[in-house]
Amino acid sequence: MRPARDFFAPLAVGAPPPLREIPARPSRAIHFFDPSNEKMAGKVPGMVGTVDVLLGNLEDAVKAANKEAAREGLVRIARDTAGLGGEGAATQLWTRVNALDSPWVLDDLTRLVTAAGDRLDVIMVPKVQGAEDIHYVDRLLAQLEAKAGLERPLMVHAILETARGMANVEEICGASPRMQGLSLGPADLAADRRMKTTRVGGGHPGYLVRQDPADGSAEAIAAPRTSYQQDLWHYTIARMVDACAMHGISAYYGPFGDIADTVACEDQFRNAFLLGCVGAWSLHPKQVEIAHRVFSPSPEDVAHARRVVAAMGDGTGAVMLDGKMEDDASLKQCLVMVELSEQLAAADPALAERYAAAQAEQEASA
Ligand SMILES: CC(=O)SCCNC(=O)CCNC(=O)[C@H](O)C(C)(C)COP(=O)(O)OP(=O)(O)OC[C@H]1O[C@@H](n2cnc3c(N)ncnc32)[C@H](O)[C@@H]1OP(=O)(O)O
Ligand SMILES: CC(=O)C(=O)O
Ligand SMILES: [Mg+2]
């Protein structure tokens, strides 16, 4: 057992000390690209500054024959793209390495950390099963950071995409001070759980509840009744959010594979936002705007939250505002909105302007 006092000790001689707090940087959209796909990779420089996170994907969706080309392509992009990755960069650079049981992951980590570790912010690890997977990556990263002379520790993000990973979600979050967050991996998770879906994220029309019949007669049972589609991912996301919140790290919805259905994508992202997630994956350029918009609190909500904060004075007691009771607990919810809006606005001038305009409008109408 590692004693508590050693939790923040570097795991290799010469490795940078682990972070005490995960930096709060906007990560509303984690945009995936295949670095071995020249056309897609060619779009990356033009996306810097327009998306919170660019992620060079090396795992699923990259052909086995292209694994090495993807790894080398990502090293080139990391080294050559201005404003991408590292302290203070306009857009963070993340990677998703291959799975820990694959023949590629050791070379992925070794090559990326030693050749471009100073430009990488977060390493996403797929199919994490338990704390032991994070411990393996943690020690290896420390050794590689020491070898590369890195001054800033890399962070680790785990994808929840196995039943065992879900069962161990709390210990995964707390396995290392490197842990930055978790994403839902709905496709692999569905397969591992033996769910009967064939999609990448999103709902299913068969997963529903139906209005009761008017009475027990055969006619009433056969009559048309309203039915409501339910969210297949509600339990999983809520569980992931609790585990992340307990450990002070961030939760993310994963991918939404129906690229054409921008409306359902927005709905799924918004459900995740409302439940506590800070971002989602973008697989296609058209999903970036959806994620940035949905994972930014609306200017109206932020202006309202500021009114509650002002009305609550020293933050204790109860007040009435617009016919509603506000107290210490609603104040705390409002502070979540205000703090998130300030953090996002600091990095997104257009959003900052929208917040300022809504605030001015609210003050004018008061
Ligand atoms: C379950 C999981 O593991 S999910 C994570 C793994 N999956 C991924 O990473 C998938 C990433 N995305 C993709 O591979 C592609 O977007 C696909 C296959 C879904 C669709 O690709 P296409 O059929 O080429 O899409 P489409 O024709 O609409 O592309 C329009 C343009 O956007 C570009 N583009 C498409 N996706 C991306 C992307 N992710 N990043 C940058 N550019 C992109 C295309 O190259 C194309 O460029 P062009 O106009 O110069 O020709
Ligand atoms: C996100 C992912 O990898 C999955 O859904 O399997
Ligand atoms: Mg997967």
Side-chain angles (χ1 to χ4, degrees):
M1 192 190 93
R2 182 154 52 149
R5 73 169 63 84
D6 287 349
F7 188 67
F8 289 99
L11 290 178
V13 175
L19 297 172
R20 296 257 160 186
E21 292 234 355
I22 297 301
R25 296 177 72 181
S27 47
R28 296 162 292 186
I30 303 169
H31 181 75
F32 272 56
F33 66 93
D34 173 353
S36 73
N37 178 325
E38 280 183 21
K39 209 159 119 192
M40 223 188 261
K43 307 256 188 254
V44 165
M47 295 185 81
V48 171
T50 70
V51 56
D52 291 342
V53 178
L54 279 160
L55 180 145
N57 178 33
L58 307 183
E59 201 224 10
D60 292 356
V62 175
K63 280 187 167 296
N66 293 347
K67 294 289 185 186
E68 284 175 24
R71 188 189 298 139
E72 290 311 312
L74 182 54
V75 168
R76 265 194 312 279
I77 287 168
R79 283 177 172 164
D80 299 347
T81 313
L84 178 61
E87 202 107 41
T91 292
Q92 296 180 58
L93 178 63
W94 296 19
T95 184
R96 176 170 80 168
V97 294
N98 284 287
L100 297 179
D101 61 357
S102 77
W104 303 293
V105 64
L106 185 60
D107 288 341
D108 290 346
L109 290 168
T110 306
R111 176 78 177 130
L112 286 170
V113 178
T114 55
D118 56 334
R119 304 301 297 275
L120 276 175
D121 296 291
V122 175
I123 298 197
M124 186 181 272
V125 183
K127 302 177 178 72
V128 171
Q129 302 271 27
E132 69 280 10
D133 287 343
I134 302 299
H135 293 158
Y136 168 80
V137 172
D138 199 6
R139 176 77 75 171
L140 183 56
L141 286 180
Q143 293 166 344
L144 293 169
E145 285 166 348
K147 186 175 156 107
L150 297 187
E151 291 174 0
R152 186 181 56 105
L154 288 154
M155 288 177 277
V156 169
H157 181 112
I159 314 180
L160 281 180
E161 47 186 349
T162 66
R164 195 169 122 199
M166 280 309 304
N168 293 329
V169 62
E170 285 88 6
E171 68 164 48
I172 290 171
C173 291
S176 160
R178 290 184 195 277
M179 285 303 297
Q180 177 276 341
L182 298 182
S183 284
L184 169 71
D188 272 301
L189 182 57
D192 197 56
R193 281 177 171 166
R194 307 192 69 74
M195 289 165 67
K196 306 302 180 293
T197 52
T198 55
R199 307 163 171 217
V200 175
H204 193 289
Y207 192 72
L208 51 79
V209 289
R210 192 178 299 275
Q211 185 187 19
D212 283 355
D215 55 53
S217 68
E219 292 73 28
I221 288 169
R225 284 183 271 155
T226 309
S227 68
Y228 301 91
Q229 192 173 323
Q230 306 294 296
D231 185 357
L232 275 175
W233 301 108
H234 179 83
Y235 156 79
T236 310
I237 292 177
R239 178 119 201 257
M240 175 176 78
V241 166
D242 280 348
C244 287
M246 176 170 122
H247 287 280
I249 67 176
S250 298
Y252 298 78
Y253 190 78
F256 189 87
D258 190 344
I259 308 292
D261 193 349
T262 51
V263 175
C265 175
E266 176 164 345
D267 292 338
Q268 190 77 71
F269 285 4
R270 183 166 292 106
N271 287 351
F273 170 69
L274 289 170
L275 274 181
C277 291
V278 302
W281 299 10
S282 146
L283 303 182
H284 188 279
K286 66 162 86 157
Q287 294 183 332
V288 171
E289 184 278 328
I290 302 173
H292 279 191
R293 178 161 42 78
V294 169
F295 287 96
S296 305
S298 77
E300 296 70 32
D301 282 349
V302 174
H304 173 74
R306 286 190 181 282
R307 278 182 71 214
V308 175
V309 173
M312 278 297 294
D314 73 354
T316 62
V319 297
M320 285 293 279
L321 198 63
D322 305 335
K324 298 191 183 77
M325 190 280 302
E326 308 288 351
D327 71 359
D328 316 48
S330 56
L331 170 68
K332 282 185 214 151
Q333 294 173 71
C334 291
L335 287 172
V336 168
M337 295 286 236
V338 170
E339 282 161 16
L340 177 58
S341 70
E342 286 173 353
Q343 182 208 108
L344 295 174
D348 184 338
L351 185 63
E353 271 179 34
R354 291 207 297 283
Y355 287 148
Q359 182 69 25
E361 197 175 311
Q362 183 141 126
E363 279 162 13
S365 68

